[in-house]
Amino acid sequence: MGFPLFLSLRGRLRFARGDSAKDEFGVILPKADHALADKKARALAKLLTTQPFLWQGSVRTLGMAYGVHTFAKGDDPEKVIAAADKAMYVVKRAK
């Protein structure tokens, strides 16, 4: 369900990328510092987890965790993704 749901939301998220093999996606906020990115992530998580939606004829709710990591021009993309994953697992464990 994750990737098809992501595809339905992608039009609303300008800088979003997803992985069809996983239920994960990333949102890049080019002009956001860590505090603003965290605020946006919390708002997106609240929206996605509190709004039931229709999926293949059934009303469903979504659970999610998120990670926020800021990066700069020239940072290694693999290290940036790993850092965001690590941040997500910190949030996930805190739930």
Side-chain angles (χ1 to χ4, degrees), residues 34 41 44 48 51 59 66 73 75-76 81-82 93 95:
H34 193 274
L44 181 60
L48 293 178
Q51 303 269 332
V59 175
Y66 62 88
K73 184 177 182 178
D75 285 354
D76 180 314
I81 292 169
R93 282 191 292 270
K95 287 186 172 188

Side-chain angles (χ1 to χ4, degrees), residues 9-77:
L9 294 170
R10 186 173 61 182
R12 299 181 205 175
L13 304 171
R14 186 170 170 210
F15 296 98
R17 300 291 178 262
D19 182 342
S20 62
K22 301 177 184 177
D23 289 348
E24 299 179 351
F25 66 91
V27 177
I28 299 171
L29 303 171
K31 297 186 182 201
D33 62 10
H34 193 274
L36 179 58
D38 187 65
K39 181 179 176 181
K40 298 264 186 193
R42 287 177 191 270
L44 181 60
K46 183 177 180 182
L47 174 70
L48 293 178
T49 60
T50 60
Q51 303 269 332
F53 60 95
L54 188 61
W55 177 257
Q56 297 180 343
S58 298
V59 175
R60 305 279 184 100
T61 57
L62 185 68
M64 69 172 284
Y66 62 88
V68 175
H69 177 73
T70 55
F71 62 96
K73 184 177 182 178
D75 285 354
D76 180 314

